[in-house]
Amino acid sequence: MFIRAYLRASTQEQNAERARESLVQFAANHGQRIAAFYVENVSGATLHRPELMKLITDSGEGDIVLVEQIDRLARLKKSDWDSLKQKLAAKRLAIVSPELPTSWLALEKKDDTGFTDSILRAVNAMMLDMLAAVARKDYEDRRRRQFQGIHKAKTEGKYQGRQPDLKRRQHIASLLRSGHSYSEIQEMLSCSRHLIASVAKVRIPDQGCH
C-alpha cells in the first residue's frame, strides 16, 4: 500500500505544511506510513495545481491520496470536481481523510470476496460528492460576503484594500535578526517560507522591542 499525502494552503502567507504531523500520526494509528508528501500554496477553487497533478502522475494503480480535509481537494466547481474524479478513477486512487470515517476502509486489509469493499466504496463516493458540494458552497458564500463587505466599504469611502499583517512581519524580522533559520521560524509561527523570504528582503524594523 503506497500512501501519498497532499497538503495545500490557499495563499503564500499560509503554512501548507501545518497538517503534516497530524497526518503522519493518523496514518500511524492505522498501522501505515506516508511514503510521499506533495505540498503547494494555491487556491482550492482551481484545478490548476502542479503538485496535485504530479501526485496523480506519480501514483500507481490503487495508491491512496491522504488529505487533512476533503476541501483540500474538492473546493471546485462541479465540472472541475468531475474532471478530478475521473483522473483519480483512471488509476483507482482512493481518497482518505481523517474527517471521513467511511474512507478509512482503504487503509485496512480487504476481505476475500471484495463485497464489503465494493459497498463501502460506493458509500464513500457519495459522501465525497456531498462534502465537495458543501466545500464549494462554503467557498462561494464566503466570497459573496467578502465582495458585499468590500462594496459597502467602498460606498462609505472606507475601503483600504488588503493590508499586510505588520505585527506578524515584525515578529519574523525580529527572529531573523536573532539568527533563527527559516525552518525554525516556520515551526514557531506556522507561516510560509515565501512570507519569511519577503520579510527578509524588506527587513521591517522591529518597533516593539525598544
Side-chain angles (χ1 to χ4, degrees):
M1 183 182 298
F2 204 99
I3 301 176
R4 302 173 190 273
Y6 178 66
L7 305 174
R8 181 189 66 76
S10 297
T11 68
Q12 292 293 341
E13 287 75 20
Q14 295 173 325
N15 183 12
E17 299 247 10
R18 175 186 54 79
R20 179 185 285 259
E21 289 306 315
S22 65
L23 290 182
V24 169
Q25 186 59 55
F26 172 78
N29 290 344
H30 288 268
Q32 303 292 343
R33 291 179 65 252
I34 298 173
F37 289 87
Y38 297 77
V39 185
E40 61 189 343
N41 291 73
V42 63
S43 171
T46 179
L47 192 53
H48 299 293
R49 305 185 209 170
E51 284 300 304
L52 178 57
M53 294 303 110
K54 184 176 187 298
L55 182 157
I56 295 173
T57 299
D58 292 347
S59 295
E61 185 170 320
D63 285 352
I64 289 173
V65 180
L66 179 61
V67 292
E68 177 193 18
Q69 295 177 308
I70 300 304
D71 69 0
R72 297 302 88 190
L73 284 176
R75 193 172 286 171
L76 299 164
K77 61 184 180 182
K78 188 177 184 305
S79 60
D80 284 344
W81 172 235
D82 288 341
S83 176
L84 177 58
K85 285 196 300 181
Q86 289 175 4
K87 293 178 184 294
L88 296 168
K91 289 192 172 181
R92 298 182 68 252
L93 303 182
I95 299 174
V96 175
S97 171
E99 73 167 348
L100 185 57
T102 56
S103 70
W104 302 354
L105 175 75
L107 299 173
E108 311 299 333
K109 292 182 179 179
K110 306 298 188 294
D111 61 60
D112 293 335
T113 65
F115 176 75
T116 302
D117 183 38
S118 297
I119 294 297
L120 287 179
R121 276 182 178 273
V123 171
N124 197 51
M126 288 188 291
M127 292 295 295
L128 282 170
D129 281 338
M130 182 186 73
L131 289 173
V134 170
R136 181 64 190 184
K137 185 177 186 303
D138 175 68
Y139 171 78
E140 291 175 345
D141 286 347
R142 287 191 292 106
R143 292 279 289 178
R144 183 173 60 255
R145 289 194 294 269
Q146 181 183 26
F147 287 138
Q148 288 172 344
I150 290 174
H151 176 72
K152 184 174 184 294
K154 285 182 176 179
T155 301
E156 297 174 353
K158 299 178 180 178
Y159 182 65
Q160 297 180 339
R162 184 177 179 180
Q163 302 299 309
D165 188 341
L166 292 180
K167 186 174 181 180
R168 187 180 184 83
R169 287 172 175 264
Q170 287 165 1
H171 194 175
I172 292 172
S174 177
L175 291 172
L176 286 170
R177 283 194 295 270
S178 299
H180 288 84
S181 69
Y182 280 29
S183 296
E184 289 171 336
I185 297 173
Q186 271 190 291
E187 180 69 22
M188 287 187 282
L189 301 183
S190 294
C191 59
S192 70
R193 294 182 75 86
H194 180 274
L195 178 59
I196 299 170
S198 70
V199 173
K201 290 179 182 178
V202 176
R203 290 290 185 177
I204 295 176
D206 191 342
Q207 298 177 358
C209 299
H210 299 293

